[in-house]
PDB file of all heavy atoms in Angstrom:
ATOM      1  N   MET A 522     -22.018 105.415  12.320  1.00 57.00           N
ATOM      2  CA  MET A 522     -22.850 104.450  11.593  1.00 57.00           C
ATOM      3  C   MET A 522     -22.201 103.081  11.463  1.00 57.00           C
ATOM      4  O   MET A 522     -21.018 103.083  11.082  1.00 57.00           O
ATOM      5  CB  MET A 522     -23.282 104.967  10.329  1.00 57.00           C
ATOM      6  CG  MET A 522     -24.153 104.116   9.460  1.00 57.00           C
ATOM      7  SD  MET A 522     -24.698 105.054   8.041  1.00 57.00           S
ATOM      8  CE  MET A 522     -25.367 103.697   7.155  1.00 57.00           C
ATOM      9  N   GLU A 523     -22.813 102.132  11.887  1.00 72.00           N
ATOM     10  CA  GLU A 523     -22.100 100.766  11.784  1.00 72.00           C
ATOM     11  C   GLU A 523     -21.988 100.348  10.407  1.00 72.00           C
ATOM     12  O   GLU A 523     -22.894 100.608   9.513  1.00 72.00           O
ATOM     13  CB  GLU A 523     -22.971  99.776  12.553  1.00 72.00           C
ATOM     14  CG  GLU A 523     -22.742  99.803  14.073  1.00 72.00           C
ATOM     15  CD  GLU A 523     -23.490  98.609  14.811  1.00 72.00           C
ATOM     16  OE1 GLU A 523     -23.484  97.510  14.216  1.00 72.00           O
ATOM     17  OE2 GLU A 523     -23.961  98.897  15.866  1.00 72.00           O
ATOM     18  N   LYS A 524     -20.914  99.533  10.181  1.00 79.00           N
ATOM     19  CA  LYS A 524     -20.807  98.986   8.959  1.00 79.00           C
ATOM     20  C   LYS A 524     -21.703  97.780   8.700  1.00 79.00           C
ATOM     21  O   LYS A 524     -21.934  97.010   9.702  1.00 79.00           O
ATOM     22  CB  LYS A 524     -19.382  98.585   8.528  1.00 79.00           C
ATOM     23  CG  LYS A 524     -18.425  99.707   8.700  1.00 79.00           C
ATOM     24  CD  LYS A 524     -17.030  99.121   8.430  1.00 79.00           C
ATOM     25  CE  LYS A 524     -16.004 100.258   8.453  1.00 79.00           C
ATOM     26  NZ  LYS A 524     -14.565  99.675   8.213  1.00 79.00           N
ATOM     27  N   ASP A 525     -22.188  97.628   7.468  1.00 93.00           N
ATOM     28  CA  ASP A 525     -23.075  96.435   7.306  1.00 93.00           C
ATOM     29  C   ASP A 525     -22.284  95.141   7.103  1.00 93.00           C
ATOM     30  O   ASP A 525     -20.997  95.311   6.948  1.00 93.00           O
ATOM     31  CB  ASP A 525     -24.073  96.621   6.192  1.00 93.00           C
ATOM     32  CG  ASP A 525     -23.311  96.761   4.890  1.00 93.00           C
ATOM     33  OD1 ASP A 525     -22.251  96.619   4.807  1.00 93.00           O
ATOM     34  OD2 ASP A 525     -24.182  96.924   3.807  1.00 93.00           O
ATOM     35  N   ILE A 526     -22.831  94.033   7.243  1.00 92.00           N
ATOM     36  CA  ILE A 526     -22.155  92.720   7.190  1.00 92.00           C
ATOM     37  C   ILE A 526     -21.473  92.520   5.862  1.00 92.00           C
ATOM     38  O   ILE A 526     -20.265  92.120   5.894  1.00 92.00           O
ATOM     39  CB  ILE A 526     -23.084  91.649   7.567  1.00 92.00           C
ATOM     40  CG1 ILE A 526     -22.384  90.278   7.601  1.00 92.00           C
ATOM     41  CG2 ILE A 526     -24.145  91.437   6.294  1.00 92.00           C
ATOM     42  CD1 ILE A 526     -22.259  89.820   9.065  1.00 92.00           C
ATOM     43  N   LEU A 527     -21.984  92.958   4.703  1.00 92.00           N
ATOM     44  CA  LEU A 527     -21.280  92.925   3.455  1.00 92.00           C
ATOM     45  C   LEU A 527     -20.067  93.685   3.446  1.00 92.00           C
ATOM     46  O   LEU A 527     -18.975  93.204   2.900  1.00 92.00           O
ATOM     47  CB  LEU A 527     -22.274  93.288   2.360  1.00 92.00           C
ATOM     48  CG  LEU A 527     -23.381  92.286   2.060  1.00 92.00           C
ATOM     49  CD1 LEU A 527     -24.280  92.791   0.899  1.00 92.00           C
ATOM     50  CD2 LEU A 527     -22.913  90.841   1.664  1.00 92.00           C
ATOM     51  N   THR A 528     -20.070  94.841   4.013  1.00 93.00           N
ATOM     52  CA  THR A 528     -18.854  95.669   3.890  1.00 93.00           C
ATOM     53  C   THR A 528     -17.834  94.989   4.885  1.00 93.00           C
ATOM     54  O   THR A 528     -16.611  95.000   4.446  1.00 93.00           O
ATOM     55  CB  THR A 528     -19.086  97.073   4.526  1.00 93.00           C
ATOM     56  OG1 THR A 528     -20.223  97.681   3.736  1.00 93.00           O
ATOM     57  CG2 THR A 528     -17.978  98.029   4.441  1.00 93.00           C
ATOM     58  N   LEU A 529     -18.104  94.441   6.011  1.00 93.00           N
ATOM     59  CA  LEU A 529     -17.146  93.817   6.922  1.00 93.00           C
ATOM     60  C   LEU A 529     -16.713  92.599   6.121  1.00 93.00           C
ATOM     61  O   LEU A 529     -15.356  92.334   6.257  1.00 93.00           O
ATOM     62  CB  LEU A 529     -17.910  93.451   8.153  1.00 93.00           C
ATOM     63  CG  LEU A 529     -18.097  94.693   9.161  1.00 93.00           C
ATOM     64  CD1 LEU A 529     -19.047  94.112  10.295  1.00 93.00           C
ATOM     65  CD2 LEU A 529     -16.918  95.180   9.656  1.00 93.00           C
ATOM     66  N   LEU A 530     -17.519  91.791   5.551  1.00 94.00           N
ATOM     67  CA  LEU A 530     -16.967  90.723   4.852  1.00 94.00           C
ATOM     68  C   LEU A 530     -16.136  91.081   3.712  1.00 94.00           C
ATOM     69  O   LEU A 530     -15.107  90.423   3.475  1.00 94.00           O
ATOM     70  CB  LEU A 530     -18.175  89.826   4.327  1.00 94.00           C
ATOM     71  CG  LEU A 530     -19.031  88.952   5.328  1.00 94.00           C
ATOM     72  CD1 LEU A 530     -20.293  88.440   4.718  1.00 94.00           C
ATOM     73  CD2 LEU A 530     -18.147  87.895   6.009  1.00 94.00           C
ATOM     74  N   ASN A 531     -16.426  92.098   2.914  1.00 95.00           N
ATOM     75  CA  ASN A 531     -15.481  92.565   1.841  1.00 95.00           C
ATOM     76  C   ASN A 531     -14.108  92.988   2.353  1.00 95.00           C
ATOM     77  O   ASN A 531     -13.166  92.604   1.893  1.00 95.00           O
ATOM     78  CB  ASN A 531     -16.086  93.632   1.105  1.00 95.00           C
ATOM     79  CG  ASN A 531     -17.112  93.102   0.080  1.00 95.00           C
ATOM     80  OD1 ASN A 531     -16.871  92.124  -0.590  1.00 95.00           O
ATOM     81  ND2 ASN A 531     -18.138  93.912  -0.171  1.00 95.00           N
ATOM     82  N   GLU A 532     -14.136  93.584   3.580  1.00 95.00           N
ATOM     83  CA  GLU A 532     -12.768  94.133   4.235  1.00 95.00           C
ATOM     84  C   GLU A 532     -12.099  92.878   4.534  1.00 95.00           C
ATOM     85  O   GLU A 532     -10.769  92.865   4.438  1.00 95.00           O
ATOM     86  CB  GLU A 532     -13.153  94.945   5.361  1.00 95.00           C
ATOM     87  CG  GLU A 532     -13.590  96.289   5.024  1.00 95.00           C
ATOM     88  CD  GLU A 532     -14.030  97.203   6.134  1.00 95.00           C
ATOM     89  OE1 GLU A 532     -13.857  96.805   7.289  1.00 95.00           O
ATOM     90  OE2 GLU A 532     -14.379  98.403   5.809  1.00 95.00           O
ATOM     91  N   LYS A 533     -12.850  91.922   5.112  1.00 96.00           N
ATOM     92  CA  LYS A 533     -12.004  90.671   5.575  1.00 96.00           C
ATOM     93  C   LYS A 533     -11.490  89.862   4.443  1.00 96.00           C
ATOM     94  O   LYS A 533     -10.393  89.305   4.443  1.00 96.00           O
ATOM     95  CB  LYS A 533     -13.050  89.748   6.371  1.00 96.00           C
ATOM     96  CG  LYS A 533     -13.528  90.270   7.693  1.00 96.00           C
ATOM     97  CD  LYS A 533     -12.499  89.911   8.768  1.00 96.00           C
ATOM     98  CE  LYS A 533     -12.974  90.413  10.029  1.00 96.00           C
ATOM     99  NZ  LYS A 533     -11.981  90.463  11.155  1.00 96.00           N
ATOM    100  N   ILE A 534     -12.353  89.798   3.402  1.00 98.00           N
ATOM    101  CA  ILE A 534     -11.855  89.162   2.100  1.00 98.00           C
ATOM    102  C   ILE A 534     -10.647  89.844   1.495  1.00 98.00           C
ATOM    103  O   ILE A 534      -9.663  89.261   1.197  1.00 98.00           O
ATOM    104  CB  ILE A 534     -12.899  88.967   1.150  1.00 98.00           C
ATOM    105  CG1 ILE A 534     -14.098  87.937   1.625  1.00 98.00           C
ATOM    106  CG2 ILE A 534     -12.365  88.578  -0.292  1.00 98.00           C
ATOM    107  CD1 ILE A 534     -15.290  87.953   0.896  1.00 98.00           C
ATOM    108  N   ASP A 535     -10.737  91.224   1.497  1.00 97.00           N
ATOM    109  CA  ASP A 535      -9.591  91.974   0.839  1.00 97.00           C
ATOM    110  C   ASP A 535      -8.359  91.695   1.818  1.00 97.00           C
ATOM    111  O   ASP A 535      -7.260  91.735   1.223  1.00 97.00           O
ATOM    112  CB  ASP A 535      -9.956  93.522   0.868  1.00 97.00           C
ATOM    113  CG  ASP A 535     -10.926  93.774  -0.130  1.00 97.00           C
ATOM    114  OD1 ASP A 535     -11.123  92.924  -1.183  1.00 97.00           O
ATOM    115  OD2 ASP A 535     -11.595  94.838  -0.020  1.00 97.00           O
ATOM    116  N   GLY A 536      -8.453  91.630   3.080  1.00 98.00           N
ATOM    117  CA  GLY A 536      -7.294  91.436   3.918  1.00 98.00           C
ATOM    118  C   GLY A 536      -6.770  90.018   3.628  1.00 98.00           C
ATOM    119  O   GLY A 536      -5.404  89.840   3.623  1.00 98.00           O
ATOM    120  N   LEU A 537      -7.776  88.983   3.575  1.00 98.00           N
ATOM    121  CA  LEU A 537      -7.142  87.733   3.295  1.00 98.00           C
ATOM    122  C   LEU A 537      -6.497  87.501   2.029  1.00 98.00           C
ATOM    123  O   LEU A 537      -5.459  86.772   1.816  1.00 98.00           O
ATOM    124  CB  LEU A 537      -8.327  86.765   3.394  1.00 98.00           C
ATOM    125  CG  LEU A 537      -8.852  86.608   4.819  1.00 98.00           C
ATOM    126  CD1 LEU A 537     -10.172  85.635   4.762  1.00 98.00           C
ATOM    127  CD2 LEU A 537      -7.774  85.828   5.714  1.00 98.00           C
ATOM    128  N   LEU A 538      -7.077  88.285   0.917  1.00 98.00           N
ATOM    129  CA  LEU A 538      -6.417  88.238  -0.337  1.00 98.00           C
ATOM    130  C   LEU A 538      -5.105  88.805  -0.404  1.00 98.00           C
ATOM    131  O   LEU A 538      -4.119  88.337  -0.975  1.00 98.00           O
ATOM    132  CB  LEU A 538      -7.301  88.926  -1.412  1.00 98.00           C
ATOM    133  CG  LEU A 538      -8.529  88.007  -1.975  1.00 98.00           C
ATOM    134  CD1 LEU A 538      -9.369  89.084  -2.724  1.00 98.00           C
ATOM    135  CD2 LEU A 538      -8.164  86.914  -2.595  1.00 98.00           C
ATOM    136  N   ALA A 539      -4.878  89.963   0.457  1.00 98.00           N
ATOM    137  CA  ALA A 539      -3.550  90.604   0.537  1.00 98.00           C
ATOM    138  C   ALA A 539      -2.581  89.666   1.191  1.00 98.00           C
ATOM    139  O   ALA A 539      -1.452  89.476   0.778  1.00 98.00           O
ATOM    140  CB  ALA A 539      -3.687  91.879   1.305  1.00 98.00           C
ATOM    141  N   LYS A 540      -3.041  88.976   2.302  1.00 98.00           N
ATOM    142  CA  LYS A 540      -2.126  88.051   2.838  1.00 98.00           C
ATOM    143  C   LYS A 540      -1.748  86.909   1.936  1.00 98.00           C
ATOM    144  O   LYS A 540      -0.617  86.468   1.907  1.00 98.00           O
ATOM    145  CB  LYS A 540      -2.704  87.479   4.184  1.00 98.00           C
ATOM    146  CG  LYS A 540      -2.848  88.496   5.268  1.00 98.00           C
ATOM    147  CD  LYS A 540      -3.462  87.753   6.516  1.00 98.00           C
ATOM    148  CE  LYS A 540      -3.441  88.882   7.764  1.00 98.00           C
ATOM    149  NZ  LYS A 540      -4.232  88.303   8.843  1.00 98.00           N
TER     150      LYS A 540
END
Side-chain angles (χ1 to χ4, degrees):
M522 181 174 166
E523 277 190 43
K524 295 182 181 180
D525 65 0
I526 188 109
L527 288 177
T528 303
L529 289 173
L530 286 173
N531 277 327
E532 289 175 358
K533 294 277 186 187
I534 289 170
D535 289 343
L537 290 171
L538 285 173
K540 286 181 182 180

